[in-house]
Amino acid sequence: MTVFKTNSKTDSQTTNNLQRLTIKHLHEVASILAVAGSDVVKGLSQIDKTLPPRYFYSDRGSELFEQICELPEYYVTRTETSILQECATEIVKITGECELVELGSGSSTKTRILLDAYQQQNLPLRYLPVDVSGGMLENTAKQLLIDYPSLGIYALAGTYEFALQQLPAKQLATRAIAFIGSSLGNLNPQECQIFFSQITEALQPGEYFLLGVDLQKSKHILEAAYNDSQGVTAEFNLNMLEHLNRLYDGNFDTTQFEHWAFYNETENQIEMHLRSLKQQTVELHALNLQVDFAAGETIMTEISRKFNIEVLQEELKSHNLVTKKVWTDVNNWFGLFLCQLQ
Ligand SMILES: C[S@@+](CC[C@H](N)C(=O)[O-])C[C@H]1O[C@@H](n2cnc3c(N)ncnc32)[C@H](O)[C@@H]1O
């Protein structure tokens, strides 16, 4: 665990800020338990090749994701932001004094809307962001400390799974786990069930789960959002290969793969792939892995499932997560669920 220490040049304000910040690195634990890269070996050794979406998030990948959020075609972030702006005060009135755990916190931009709402009600502020992108987590935490002088932060650098098992003791009256940005859509139905079980294990009865999900809508709108005209999503997708090269001493040539995303209407999910432009062999030396690609063969890098409010509500209920309220936008494009563990 890193409790931030200051150097002699640090002024007293910075010292005060850093005393409010703890960062716990879960990587070592993760690598012992999961054997680093075993998910890459498994995914690339299958007939239908896959890679876990968490490998998008190198520091560069996190920057690219921030750019995606600003794209005209990517309605997701804008829509969820507008919902949060409408309902943050109501959420705070329901939860009262409450510390916020956020899974996949990224830049915490939308979270600020909630922090502002707790602050406006003169409630104490405690935030526990969780993210695999350690650089993004640390930079964001330091900026939040400057902008919120009474905020205490306990940041966990690592995966959702390990973070949920290692949350520190609660310091405020209640706790909410936030999972916004429709990251739930990256989990397949089976992973989703396991994830909900992990949420219920991490919460105590009466505590909250705040979930933001993208809803089912026309194929045309969805496909435009994942095939933007500026090519940022394509760069984000291809960056995963660069990240794997760095992590595992690999030789993926990103000019020999292309971005491909489409809406699978049967499964109600966007599928994002990287397609090999030729027959080629790639090596990831640190994993002792050699992968053959036929021309046109793809690696699925992400699914982004699109949800139906009633169906999801029932699923949550089967995990004792009872929906207190769902907020949507005027188009019914995005849903924000506030659930309470029974
Ligand atoms: C789609 S972005 C969402 C960021 C932010 N919550 C938002 O709504 O804009 C997903 C974030 O989750 C992080 N992430 C992805 N997979 C993760 C995992 N398995 N465990 C922890 N963090 C993860 C990424 O680094 C990234 O910051």
Side-chain angles (χ1 to χ4, degrees):
M1 186 194 305
T2 312
V3 178
F4 268 83
K5 294 193 172 64
T6 56
N7 62 37
S8 55
K9 288 186 189 152
T10 313
D11 65 21
S12 62
Q13 184 56 54
T14 311
T15 309
N16 172 284
N17 284 348
L18 294 182
Q19 280 167 351
R20 293 182 282 123
L21 173 64
T22 302
I23 298 192
K24 183 168 180 175
H25 292 270
L26 305 173
H27 300 300
E28 310 92 73
V29 183
S31 61
I32 293 163
L33 294 180
V35 187
S38 61
D39 47 1
V40 173
V41 175
K42 184 169 173 243
L44 292 181
S45 305
Q46 295 169 169
I47 294 175
D48 293 326
K49 295 180 171 59
T50 62
L51 282 168
R54 70 187 177 91
Y55 288 103
F56 284 130
Y57 298 97
S58 60
D59 289 344
R60 175 70 186 142
S62 297
E63 279 169 26
L64 286 166
F65 179 73
E66 290 307 303
Q67 289 178 32
I68 289 174
C69 293
E70 302 289 320
L71 291 168
E73 297 94 335
Y74 196 74
Y75 61 86
V76 181
T77 309
R78 270 196 311 280
T79 311
E80 190 177 33
T81 301
S82 71
I83 296 172
L84 274 166
Q85 281 164 342
E86 284 290 312
C87 72
T89 305
E90 205 179 335
I91 291 175
V92 168
K93 286 191 174 149
I94 295 173
T95 68
E97 179 186 304
C98 178
E99 60 184 41
L100 210 58
V101 176
E102 185 179 3
L103 304 177
S105 48
S107 64
S108 305
T109 308
K110 281 172 285 181
T111 320
R112 285 169 174 262
I113 301 168
L114 287 168
L115 294 176
D116 289 343
Y118 282 103
Q119 192 164 257
Q120 274 157 20
Q121 300 294 318
N122 292 319
L123 292 169
L125 296 180
R126 182 163 148 84
Y127 180 44
L128 299 93
V130 174
D131 207 292
V132 276
S133 180
M136 176 66 108
L137 186 76
E138 190 173 327
N139 293 337
T140 300
K142 286 180 176 166
Q143 189 56 48
L144 286 170
L145 292 176
I146 295 169
D147 298 343
Y148 295 87
S150 68
L151 177 66
I153 298 183
Y154 189 107
L156 295 106
T159 60
Y160 313 137
E161 189 187 358
F162 292 114
L164 284 171
Q165 290 165 7
Q166 296 184 54
L167 293 176
K170 189 166 61 182
Q171 289 188 2
L172 300 184
T174 192
R175 178 176 270 177
I177 297 179
F179 195 43
I180 58 177
S182 202
S183 294
L184 186 75
N186 300 149
L187 307 180
N188 68 33
Q190 195 191 354
E191 290 166 338
C192 202
Q193 294 305 319
I194 296 169
F195 176 76
F196 286 153
S197 304
Q198 290 164 345
I199 294 288
T200 57
E201 273 168 36
L203 289 174
Q204 289 171 1
E207 293 182 341
Y208 297 93
F209 180 44
L210 182 68
L211 177 64
V213 294
D214 200 11
L215 301 176
Q216 290 164 12
K217 61 184 69 64
S218 103
K219 184 181 170 83
H220 168 70
I221 295 165
L222 287 165
E223 290 193 340
Y226 292 81
N227 289 287
D228 67 276
S229 55
Q230 295 171 47
V232 184
T233 313
E235 194 182 340
F236 174 73
N237 198 6
L238 285 159
N239 175 68
M240 185 189 275
L241 302 181
E242 303 273 19
H243 190 36
L244 290 178
N245 281 346
R246 274 190 303 275
L247 284 175
Y248 302 120
D249 187 18
N251 63 357
F252 274 109
D253 177 352
T254 54
T255 65
Q256 298 306 322
F257 287 86
E258 70 177 3
H259 167 74
W260 177 44
F262 65 95
Y263 188 54
N264 177 335
E265 285 177 294
T266 313
E267 302 292 339
N268 290 310
Q269 63 190 24
I270 285 281
E271 292 184 13
M272 208 149 89
H273 293 249
L274 287 165
R275 182 160 40 206
S276 176
L277 294 175
K278 62 173 189 184
Q279 183 180 352
Q280 54 183 319
T281 300
V282 174
E283 287 184 74
L284 291 166
H285 296 102
L287 298 177
N288 205 13
L289 181 68
Q290 186 170 308
V291 192
D292 295 322
F293 291 92
E297 189 177 354
T298 75
I299 312 170
M300 187 161 78
T301 49
E302 178 178 274
I303 57 167
S304 182
R305 291 169 62 217
K306 307 301 166 188
F307 295 89
N308 167 287
I309 290 182
E310 288 72 30
V311 174
L312 185 53
Q313 223 165 327
E314 281 307 305
E315 242 178 80
L316 288 160
K317 200 170 158 199
S318 72
H319 289 270
N320 286 332
L321 291 163
V322 175
T323 305
K324 301 276 293 180
K325 187 149 184 183
V326 186
W327 295 268
T328 57
D329 53 291
V330 280
N331 297 314
N332 262 326
W333 279 0
F334 198 93
L336 187 69
F337 292 61
L338 182 65
C339 306
Q340 192 172 33
L341 184 68
Q342 262 189 344

